[in-house]
Amino acid sequence: MREHDLFWYNICVEIPSDQKEIAATKRLEFDDLQNEIAGRETGRRARFLKDGPGSEEAKKKERDAQHRALTRLAQLLNDPVYRAKYDGVSQLLSGAEQATETAIDQLNSQIDVAQSELDDMMNNAARLPDGKRAFRDADGVVRREDGSAVEDHLAETIIWTGNEPSFEDVQNAKGRLDDLQAALDAANGYQNDVLGPARDRITDPDNPPSLDDLNDIQNDIQSKMPKVVQEHLPQTETAAPDVATQSIGLPKLGG
């Protein structure tokens, strides 16, 4: 007799008969463990199913386990009404994300160019005796950067070369730079405060948005979109479809 079998034989002989059934069960479980460690098929799953692995009860348990494994979002997406709205919002969000990225890249490039142009103007500006810059406006008045007029006796010290930018040129360059920076700030804010949370919300597998939530997300994406982002939105981009909130088999969620 093998050592393994002798071990269990001695246990069964020494214990009372009313406990032999328990010992036999323990031996079966022990054998299962050894087989599983060795990578051998144990048939353990079949023993724990009433009618075996191919029975209706086993199949039902399998289906129930698979259903529980589905995320709440996956369950919702099985509903055609919810799916239509979800896909529409997803398409709108993706288009907005792409347009925002394009706008941000373009604005950064434009800001670099505008800043370089302004720097060139400042380098070519006339200088007062104290080293501060001076510019002549369209009326011939010499002004400092802040717009204040330069006193005549100081203005007379300036030797003009003809390459100096006018006061209006500098103001326009500064205004353009400020406008570009404001547009960039708006695009970044839209990306961080609207699109980012929207993406997190619709991709949450366990706490997905309800139909009402999807409507709110859609409205936020559209109503808060900066003009500079709208200019880059694909022409084919359309609003998410308006669908009835009542659907067949739609699980009730808290949002």
PDB file of all heavy atoms in Angstrom, residues 95-111 180 183-188 190-191 225-233:
ATOM      1  N   GLY A  95     -15.046  64.637 -30.332  1.00  0.00           N
ATOM      2  CA  GLY A  95     -14.839  65.760 -31.238  1.00  0.00           C
ATOM      3  C   GLY A  95     -14.379  66.999 -30.511  1.00  0.00           C
ATOM      4  O   GLY A  95     -13.494  67.729 -30.986  1.00  0.00           O
ATOM      5  N   ALA A  96     -14.963  67.258 -29.342  1.00  0.00           N
ATOM      6  CA  ALA A  96     -14.574  68.427 -28.547  1.00  0.00           C
ATOM      7  C   ALA A  96     -13.146  68.286 -28.033  1.00  0.00           C
ATOM      8  O   ALA A  96     -12.385  69.265 -28.008  1.00  0.00           O
ATOM      9  CB  ALA A  96     -15.543  68.613 -27.386  1.00  0.00           C
ATOM     10  N   GLU A  97     -12.783  67.081 -27.627  1.00  0.00           N
ATOM     11  CA  GLU A  97     -11.415  66.849 -27.152  1.00  0.00           C
ATOM     12  C   GLU A  97     -10.400  67.086 -28.272  1.00  0.00           C
ATOM     13  O   GLU A  97      -9.362  67.719 -28.070  1.00  0.00           O
ATOM     14  CB  GLU A  97     -11.289  65.421 -26.616  1.00  0.00           C
ATOM     15  CG  GLU A  97     -12.013  65.186 -25.301  1.00  0.00           C
ATOM     16  CD  GLU A  97     -12.045  63.732 -24.899  1.00  0.00           C
ATOM     17  OE1 GLU A  97     -12.036  62.850 -25.787  1.00  0.00           O
ATOM     18  OE2 GLU A  97     -12.097  63.456 -23.688  1.00  0.00           O
ATOM     19  N   GLN A  98     -10.716  66.572 -29.447  1.00  0.00           N
ATOM     20  CA  GLN A  98      -9.816  66.765 -30.582  1.00  0.00           C
ATOM     21  C   GLN A  98      -9.706  68.238 -30.965  1.00  0.00           C
ATOM     22  O   GLN A  98      -8.602  68.748 -31.210  1.00  0.00           O
ATOM     23  CB  GLN A  98     -10.324  65.955 -31.779  1.00  0.00           C
ATOM     24  CG  GLN A  98      -9.458  66.092 -33.035  1.00  0.00           C
ATOM     25  CD  GLN A  98     -10.019  65.301 -34.206  1.00  0.00           C
ATOM     26  OE1 GLN A  98     -10.917  64.485 -34.055  1.00  0.00           O
ATOM     27  NE2 GLN A  98      -9.483  65.558 -35.389  1.00  0.00           N
ATOM     28  N   ALA A  99     -10.846  68.926 -31.006  1.00  0.00           N
ATOM     29  CA  ALA A  99     -10.840  70.346 -31.355  1.00  0.00           C
ATOM     30  C   ALA A  99     -10.065  71.159 -30.323  1.00  0.00           C
ATOM     31  O   ALA A  99      -9.355  72.117 -30.668  1.00  0.00           O
ATOM     32  CB  ALA A  99     -12.275  70.857 -31.476  1.00  0.00           C
ATOM     33  N   THR A 100     -10.210  70.810 -29.070  1.00  0.00           N
ATOM     34  CA  THR A 100      -9.513  71.537 -28.004  1.00  0.00           C
ATOM     35  C   THR A 100      -8.007  71.341 -28.102  1.00  0.00           C
ATOM     36  O   THR A 100      -7.226  72.294 -27.950  1.00  0.00           O
ATOM     37  CB  THR A 100     -10.019  71.081 -26.626  1.00  0.00           C
ATOM     38  OG1 THR A 100     -11.434  71.289 -26.541  1.00  0.00           O
ATOM     39  CG2 THR A 100      -9.342  71.857 -25.510  1.00  0.00           C
ATOM     40  N   GLU A 101      -7.577  70.105 -28.344  1.00  0.00           N
ATOM     41  CA  GLU A 101      -6.141  69.841 -28.504  1.00  0.00           C
ATOM     42  C   GLU A 101      -5.574  70.634 -29.684  1.00  0.00           C
ATOM     43  O   GLU A 101      -4.498  71.218 -29.593  1.00  0.00           O
ATOM     44  CB  GLU A 101      -5.913  68.345 -28.730  1.00  0.00           C
ATOM     45  CG  GLU A 101      -6.078  67.486 -27.482  1.00  0.00           C
ATOM     46  CD  GLU A 101      -4.963  67.687 -26.477  1.00  0.00           C
ATOM     47  OE1 GLU A 101      -3.927  68.299 -26.839  1.00  0.00           O
ATOM     48  OE2 GLU A 101      -5.118  67.248 -25.330  1.00  0.00           O
ATOM     49  N   THR A 102      -6.315  70.660 -30.792  1.00  0.00           N
ATOM     50  CA  THR A 102      -5.862  71.402 -31.972  1.00  0.00           C
ATOM     51  C   THR A 102      -5.772  72.896 -31.665  1.00  0.00           C
ATOM     52  O   THR A 102      -4.797  73.570 -32.040  1.00  0.00           O
ATOM     53  CB  THR A 102      -6.829  71.179 -33.146  1.00  0.00           C
ATOM     54  OG1 THR A 102      -6.899  69.779 -33.447  1.00  0.00           O
ATOM     55  CG2 THR A 102      -6.367  71.936 -34.381  1.00  0.00           C
ATOM     56  N   ALA A 103      -6.798  73.407 -30.970  1.00  0.00           N
ATOM     57  CA  ALA A 103      -6.809  74.828 -30.622  1.00  0.00           C
ATOM     58  C   ALA A 103      -5.639  75.177 -29.705  1.00  0.00           C
ATOM     59  O   ALA A 103      -4.970  76.204 -29.895  1.00  0.00           O
ATOM     60  CB  ALA A 103      -8.133  75.197 -29.961  1.00  0.00           C
ATOM     61  N   ILE A 104      -5.385  74.346 -28.718  1.00  0.00           N
ATOM     62  CA  ILE A 104      -4.294  74.610 -27.772  1.00  0.00           C
ATOM     63  C   ILE A 104      -2.945  74.604 -28.487  1.00  0.00           C
ATOM     64  O   ILE A 104      -2.097  75.482 -28.260  1.00  0.00           O
ATOM     65  CB  ILE A 104      -4.321  73.580 -26.627  1.00  0.00           C
ATOM     66  CG1 ILE A 104      -5.520  73.849 -25.710  1.00  0.00           C
ATOM     67  CG2 ILE A 104      -3.022  73.626 -25.828  1.00  0.00           C
ATOM     68  CD1 ILE A 104      -5.713  72.803 -24.623  1.00  0.00           C
ATOM     69  N   ASP A 105      -2.735  73.622 -29.364  1.00  0.00           N
ATOM     70  CA  ASP A 105      -1.469  73.561 -30.109  1.00  0.00           C
ATOM     71  C   ASP A 105      -1.294  74.807 -30.986  1.00  0.00           C
ATOM     72  O   ASP A 105      -0.208  75.392 -31.041  1.00  0.00           O
ATOM     73  CB  ASP A 105      -1.440  72.303 -30.979  1.00  0.00           C
ATOM     74  CG  ASP A 105      -1.293  71.030 -30.160  1.00  0.00           C
ATOM     75  OD1 ASP A 105      -0.900  71.132 -28.985  1.00  0.00           O
ATOM     76  OD2 ASP A 105      -1.579  69.938 -30.700  1.00  0.00           O
ATOM     77  N   GLN A 106      -2.364  75.199 -31.660  1.00  0.00           N
ATOM     78  CA  GLN A 106      -2.291  76.365 -32.537  1.00  0.00           C
ATOM     79  C   GLN A 106      -2.058  77.643 -31.741  1.00  0.00           C
ATOM     80  O   GLN A 106      -1.261  78.508 -32.138  1.00  0.00           O
ATOM     81  CB  GLN A 106      -3.567  76.482 -33.361  1.00  0.00           C
ATOM     82  CG  GLN A 106      -3.520  77.554 -34.434  1.00  0.00           C
ATOM     83  CD  GLN A 106      -4.783  77.588 -35.269  1.00  0.00           C
ATOM     84  OE1 GLN A 106      -5.700  78.347 -34.995  1.00  0.00           O
ATOM     85  NE2 GLN A 106      -4.829  76.749 -36.301  1.00  0.00           N
ATOM     86  N   LEU A 107      -2.758  77.776 -30.615  1.00  0.00           N
ATOM     87  CA  LEU A 107      -2.602  78.977 -29.797  1.00  0.00           C
ATOM     88  C   LEU A 107      -1.192  79.089 -29.235  1.00  0.00           C
ATOM     89  O   LEU A 107      -0.614  80.189 -29.191  1.00  0.00           O
ATOM     90  CB  LEU A 107      -3.630  78.966 -28.657  1.00  0.00           C
ATOM     91  CG  LEU A 107      -5.063  79.283 -29.071  1.00  0.00           C
ATOM     92  CD1 LEU A 107      -6.035  78.934 -27.951  1.00  0.00           C
ATOM     93  CD2 LEU A 107      -5.204  80.752 -29.449  1.00  0.00           C
ATOM     94  N   ASN A 108      -0.617  77.986 -28.819  1.00  0.00           N
ATOM     95  CA  ASN A 108       0.754  78.025 -28.305  1.00  0.00           C
ATOM     96  C   ASN A 108       1.728  78.496 -29.383  1.00  0.00           C
ATOM     97  O   ASN A 108       2.642  79.287 -29.113  1.00  0.00           O
ATOM     98  CB  ASN A 108       1.162  76.639 -27.794  1.00  0.00           C
ATOM     99  CG  ASN A 108       0.659  76.370 -26.383  1.00  0.00           C
ATOM    100  OD1 ASN A 108       0.681  77.248 -25.530  1.00  0.00           O
ATOM    101  ND2 ASN A 108       0.207  75.161 -26.129  1.00  0.00           N
ATOM    102  N   SER A 109       1.519  78.018 -30.603  1.00  0.00           N
ATOM    103  CA  SER A 109       2.379  78.444 -31.713  1.00  0.00           C
ATOM    104  C   SER A 109       2.190  79.926 -32.001  1.00  0.00           C
ATOM    105  O   SER A 109       3.166  80.664 -32.228  1.00  0.00           O
ATOM    106  CB  SER A 109       2.065  77.622 -32.967  1.00  0.00           C
ATOM    107  OG  SER A 109       2.360  76.248 -32.762  1.00  0.00           O
ATOM    108  N   GLN A 110       0.945  80.382 -32.006  1.00  0.00           N
ATOM    109  CA  GLN A 110       0.661  81.787 -32.284  1.00  0.00           C
ATOM    110  C   GLN A 110       1.213  82.695 -31.181  1.00  0.00           C
ATOM    111  O   GLN A 110       1.683  83.805 -31.461  1.00  0.00           O
ATOM    112  CB  GLN A 110      -0.843  81.987 -32.431  1.00  0.00           C
ATOM    113  CG  GLN A 110      -1.417  81.345 -33.682  1.00  0.00           C
ATOM    114  CD  GLN A 110      -2.929  81.432 -33.738  1.00  0.00           C
ATOM    115  OE1 GLN A 110      -3.597  81.650 -32.726  1.00  0.00           O
ATOM    116  NE2 GLN A 110      -3.489  81.274 -34.935  1.00  0.00           N
ATOM    117  N   ILE A 111       1.146  82.230 -29.954  1.00  0.00           N
ATOM    118  CA  ILE A 111       1.689  83.016 -28.841  1.00  0.00           C
ATOM    119  C   ILE A 111       3.204  83.157 -28.979  1.00  0.00           C
ATOM    120  O   ILE A 111       3.780  84.229 -28.732  1.00  0.00           O
ATOM    121  CB  ILE A 111       1.315  82.373 -27.491  1.00  0.00           C
ATOM    122  CG1 ILE A 111      -0.174  82.615 -27.195  1.00  0.00           C
ATOM    123  CG2 ILE A 111       2.176  82.926 -26.360  1.00  0.00           C
ATOM    124  CD1 ILE A 111      -0.685  81.902 -25.958  1.00  0.00           C
ATOM    125  N   LEU A 180      -4.584  86.197 -27.320  1.00  0.00           N
ATOM    126  CA  LEU A 180      -4.173  84.807 -27.537  1.00  0.00           C
ATOM    127  C   LEU A 180      -4.017  84.070 -26.215  1.00  0.00           C
ATOM    128  O   LEU A 180      -4.422  82.906 -26.084  1.00  0.00           O
ATOM    129  CB  LEU A 180      -2.858  84.761 -28.313  1.00  0.00           C
ATOM    130  CG  LEU A 180      -2.915  85.168 -29.787  1.00  0.00           C
ATOM    131  CD1 LEU A 180      -1.510  85.276 -30.369  1.00  0.00           C
ATOM    132  CD2 LEU A 180      -3.741  84.161 -30.585  1.00  0.00           C
ATOM    133  N   ALA A 183      -7.420  83.290 -24.823  1.00  0.00           N
ATOM    134  CA  ALA A 183      -8.029  82.169 -25.543  1.00  0.00           C
ATOM    135  C   ALA A 183      -7.404  80.849 -25.106  1.00  0.00           C
ATOM    136  O   ALA A 183      -8.107  79.836 -24.948  1.00  0.00           O
ATOM    137  CB  ALA A 183      -7.859  82.358 -27.046  1.00  0.00           C
ATOM    138  N   LEU A 184      -6.097  80.859 -24.894  1.00  0.00           N
ATOM    139  CA  LEU A 184      -5.419  79.643 -24.426  1.00  0.00           C
ATOM    140  C   LEU A 184      -5.894  79.264 -23.027  1.00  0.00           C
ATOM    141  O   LEU A 184      -6.137  78.083 -22.745  1.00  0.00           O
ATOM    142  CB  LEU A 184      -3.908  79.860 -24.439  1.00  0.00           C
ATOM    143  CG  LEU A 184      -3.068  78.677 -23.938  1.00  0.00           C
ATOM    144  CD1 LEU A 184      -3.291  77.454 -24.809  1.00  0.00           C
ATOM    145  CD2 LEU A 184      -1.584  79.053 -23.910  1.00  0.00           C
ATOM    146  N   ASP A 185      -6.032  80.255 -22.166  1.00  0.00           N
ATOM    147  CA  ASP A 185      -6.523  79.981 -20.814  1.00  0.00           C
ATOM    148  C   ASP A 185      -7.933  79.387 -20.856  1.00  0.00           C
ATOM    149  O   ASP A 185      -8.262  78.472 -20.095  1.00  0.00           O
ATOM    150  CB  ASP A 185      -6.525  81.265 -19.977  1.00  0.00           C
ATOM    151  CG  ASP A 185      -5.127  81.768 -19.675  1.00  0.00           C
ATOM    152  OD1 ASP A 185      -4.171  80.976 -19.811  1.00  0.00           O
ATOM    153  OD2 ASP A 185      -4.987  82.956 -19.314  1.00  0.00           O
ATOM    154  N   ALA A 186      -8.761  79.917 -21.762  1.00  0.00           N
ATOM    155  CA  ALA A 186     -10.132  79.413 -21.886  1.00  0.00           C
ATOM    156  C   ALA A 186     -10.134  77.974 -22.388  1.00  0.00           C
ATOM    157  O   ALA A 186     -10.896  77.128 -21.896  1.00  0.00           O
ATOM    158  CB  ALA A 186     -10.934  80.300 -22.831  1.00  0.00           C
ATOM    159  N   ALA A 187      -9.282  77.682 -23.358  1.00  0.00           N
ATOM    160  CA  ALA A 187      -9.214  76.321 -23.903  1.00  0.00           C
ATOM    161  C   ALA A 187      -8.688  75.346 -22.858  1.00  0.00           C
ATOM    162  O   ALA A 187      -9.210  74.225 -22.716  1.00  0.00           O
ATOM    163  CB  ALA A 187      -8.332  76.295 -25.148  1.00  0.00           C
ATOM    164  N   ASN A 188      -7.668  75.758 -22.118  1.00  0.00           N
ATOM    165  CA  ASN A 188      -7.137  74.889 -21.063  1.00  0.00           C
ATOM    166  C   ASN A 188      -8.167  74.666 -19.956  1.00  0.00           C
ATOM    167  O   ASN A 188      -8.312  73.555 -19.438  1.00  0.00           O
ATOM    168  CB  ASN A 188      -5.860  75.497 -20.471  1.00  0.00           C
ATOM    169  CG  ASN A 188      -4.653  75.274 -21.349  1.00  0.00           C
ATOM    170  OD1 ASN A 188      -4.512  74.225 -21.981  1.00  0.00           O
ATOM    171  ND2 ASN A 188      -3.756  76.246 -21.396  1.00  0.00           N
ATOM    172  N   TYR A 190     -11.419  74.802 -20.264  1.00  0.00           N
ATOM    173  CA  TYR A 190     -12.469  73.942 -20.820  1.00  0.00           C
ATOM    174  C   TYR A 190     -12.026  72.482 -20.824  1.00  0.00           C
ATOM    175  O   TYR A 190     -12.789  71.582 -20.468  1.00  0.00           O
ATOM    176  CB  TYR A 190     -12.768  74.406 -22.237  1.00  0.00           C
ATOM    177  CG  TYR A 190     -13.815  73.614 -22.974  1.00  0.00           C
ATOM    178  CD1 TYR A 190     -15.146  73.614 -22.570  1.00  0.00           C
ATOM    179  CD2 TYR A 190     -13.482  72.892 -24.119  1.00  0.00           C
ATOM    180  CE1 TYR A 190     -16.114  72.903 -23.264  1.00  0.00           C
ATOM    181  CE2 TYR A 190     -14.439  72.179 -24.823  1.00  0.00           C
ATOM    182  CZ  TYR A 190     -15.748  72.186 -24.390  1.00  0.00           C
ATOM    183  OH  TYR A 190     -16.708  71.477 -25.081  1.00  0.00           O
ATOM    184  N   GLN A 191     -10.765  72.277 -21.181  1.00  0.00           N
ATOM    185  CA  GLN A 191     -10.230  70.919 -21.210  1.00  0.00           C
ATOM    186  C   GLN A 191     -10.184  70.308 -19.807  1.00  0.00           C
ATOM    187  O   GLN A 191     -10.568  69.144 -19.602  1.00  0.00           O
ATOM    188  CB  GLN A 191      -8.828  70.926 -21.823  1.00  0.00           C
ATOM    189  CG  GLN A 191      -8.206  69.548 -21.996  1.00  0.00           C
ATOM    190  CD  GLN A 191      -6.816  69.640 -22.602  1.00  0.00           C
ATOM    191  OE1 GLN A 191      -5.918  70.252 -22.014  1.00  0.00           O
ATOM    192  NE2 GLN A 191      -6.636  69.060 -23.769  1.00  0.00           N
ATOM    193  N   MET A 225     -18.296  75.506 -24.438  1.00  0.00           N
ATOM    194  CA  MET A 225     -17.208  75.407 -25.414  1.00  0.00           C
ATOM    195  C   MET A 225     -16.747  76.792 -25.861  1.00  0.00           C
ATOM    196  O   MET A 225     -17.535  77.581 -26.386  1.00  0.00           O
ATOM    197  CB  MET A 225     -17.671  74.599 -26.635  1.00  0.00           C
ATOM    198  CG  MET A 225     -16.572  74.355 -27.661  1.00  0.00           C
ATOM    199  SD  MET A 225     -17.177  73.454 -29.120  1.00  0.00           S
ATOM    200  CE  MET A 225     -17.620  71.874 -28.374  1.00  0.00           C
ATOM    201  N   PRO A 226     -15.477  77.134 -25.666  1.00  0.00           N
ATOM    202  CA  PRO A 226     -14.978  78.444 -26.101  1.00  0.00           C
ATOM    203  C   PRO A 226     -15.045  78.573 -27.621  1.00  0.00           C
ATOM    204  O   PRO A 226     -15.005  77.585 -28.350  1.00  0.00           O
ATOM    205  CB  PRO A 226     -13.522  78.436 -25.614  1.00  0.00           C
ATOM    206  CG  PRO A 226     -13.464  77.376 -24.555  1.00  0.00           C
ATOM    207  CD  PRO A 226     -14.455  76.348 -24.961  1.00  0.00           C
ATOM    208  N   LYS A 227     -15.128  79.805 -28.079  1.00  0.00           N
ATOM    209  CA  LYS A 227     -15.219  80.061 -29.510  1.00  0.00           C
ATOM    210  C   LYS A 227     -14.026  79.497 -30.256  1.00  0.00           C
ATOM    211  O   LYS A 227     -14.165  78.945 -31.364  1.00  0.00           O
ATOM    212  CB  LYS A 227     -15.328  81.572 -29.757  1.00  0.00           C
ATOM    213  CG  LYS A 227     -15.499  81.927 -31.226  1.00  0.00           C
ATOM    214  CD  LYS A 227     -15.639  83.430 -31.417  1.00  0.00           C
ATOM    215  CE  LYS A 227     -15.798  83.788 -32.900  1.00  0.00           C
ATOM    216  NZ  LYS A 227     -15.920  85.241 -33.101  1.00  0.00           N
ATOM    217  N   VAL A 228     -12.846  79.603 -29.660  1.00  0.00           N
ATOM    218  CA  VAL A 228     -11.651  79.125 -30.338  1.00  0.00           C
ATOM    219  C   VAL A 228     -11.698  77.621 -30.535  1.00  0.00           C
ATOM    220  O   VAL A 228     -11.126  77.082 -31.496  1.00  0.00           O
ATOM    221  CB  VAL A 228     -10.380  79.537 -29.556  1.00  0.00           C
ATOM    222  CG1 VAL A 228     -10.294  78.799 -28.218  1.00  0.00           C
ATOM    223  CG2 VAL A 228      -9.123  79.302 -30.385  1.00  0.00           C
ATOM    224  N   VAL A 229     -12.389  76.905 -29.652  1.00  0.00           N
ATOM    225  CA  VAL A 229     -12.546  75.458 -29.815  1.00  0.00           C
ATOM    226  C   VAL A 229     -13.612  75.166 -30.867  1.00  0.00           C
ATOM    227  O   VAL A 229     -13.461  74.263 -31.696  1.00  0.00           O
ATOM    228  CB  VAL A 229     -12.913  74.793 -28.473  1.00  0.00           C
ATOM    229  CG1 VAL A 229     -13.244  73.316 -28.670  1.00  0.00           C
ATOM    230  CG2 VAL A 229     -11.767  74.952 -27.475  1.00  0.00           C
ATOM    231  N   GLN A 230     -14.673  75.949 -30.865  1.00  0.00           N
ATOM    232  CA  GLN A 230     -15.733  75.771 -31.861  1.00  0.00           C
ATOM    233  C   GLN A 230     -15.178  75.887 -33.276  1.00  0.00           C
ATOM    234  O   GLN A 230     -15.619  75.184 -34.186  1.00  0.00           O
ATOM    235  CB  GLN A 230     -16.831  76.818 -31.654  1.00  0.00           C
ATOM    236  CG  GLN A 230     -17.589  76.693 -30.339  1.00  0.00           C
ATOM    237  CD  GLN A 230     -18.601  77.798 -30.157  1.00  0.00           C
ATOM    238  OE1 GLN A 230     -19.095  78.376 -31.110  1.00  0.00           O
ATOM    239  NE2 GLN A 230     -18.915  78.122 -28.906  1.00  0.00           N
ATOM    240  N   GLU A 231     -14.211  76.769 -33.455  1.00  0.00           N
ATOM    241  CA  GLU A 231     -13.643  76.982 -34.786  1.00  0.00           C
ATOM    242  C   GLU A 231     -12.916  75.746 -35.312  1.00  0.00           C
ATOM    243  O   GLU A 231     -12.724  75.600 -36.520  1.00  0.00           O
ATOM    244  CB  GLU A 231     -12.671  78.166 -34.741  1.00  0.00           C
ATOM    245  CG  GLU A 231     -13.359  79.505 -34.456  1.00  0.00           C
ATOM    246  CD  GLU A 231     -12.376  80.624 -34.208  1.00  0.00           C
ATOM    247  OE1 GLU A 231     -11.167  80.320 -34.130  1.00  0.00           O
ATOM    248  OE2 GLU A 231     -12.797  81.782 -34.086  1.00  0.00           O
ATOM    249  N   HIS A 232     -12.524  74.869 -34.400  1.00  0.00           N
ATOM    250  CA  HIS A 232     -11.798  73.664 -34.806  1.00  0.00           C
ATOM    251  C   HIS A 232     -12.653  72.405 -34.709  1.00  0.00           C
ATOM    252  O   HIS A 232     -12.150  71.311 -34.970  1.00  0.00           O
ATOM    253  CB  HIS A 232     -10.545  73.490 -33.936  1.00  0.00           C
ATOM    254  CG  HIS A 232      -9.530  74.577 -34.126  1.00  0.00           C
ATOM    255  ND1 HIS A 232      -8.672  74.622 -35.208  1.00  0.00           N
ATOM    256  CD2 HIS A 232      -9.242  75.667 -33.369  1.00  0.00           C
ATOM    257  CE1 HIS A 232      -7.895  75.683 -35.115  1.00  0.00           C
ATOM    258  NE2 HIS A 232      -8.217  76.335 -34.008  1.00  0.00           N
ATOM    259  N   LEU A 233     -13.901  72.558 -34.351  1.00  0.00           N
ATOM    260  CA  LEU A 233     -14.781  71.406 -34.236  1.00  0.00           C
ATOM    261  C   LEU A 233     -15.067  70.858 -35.631  1.00  0.00           C
ATOM    262  O   LEU A 233     -15.364  71.619 -36.547  1.00  0.00           O
ATOM    263  CB  LEU A 233     -16.085  71.809 -33.553  1.00  0.00           C
ATOM    264  CG  LEU A 233     -16.944  70.688 -32.952  1.00  0.00           C
ATOM    265  CD1 LEU A 233     -16.204  70.027 -31.798  1.00  0.00           C
ATOM    266  CD2 LEU A 233     -18.279  71.250 -32.481  1.00  0.00           C
TER     267      LEU A 233
END
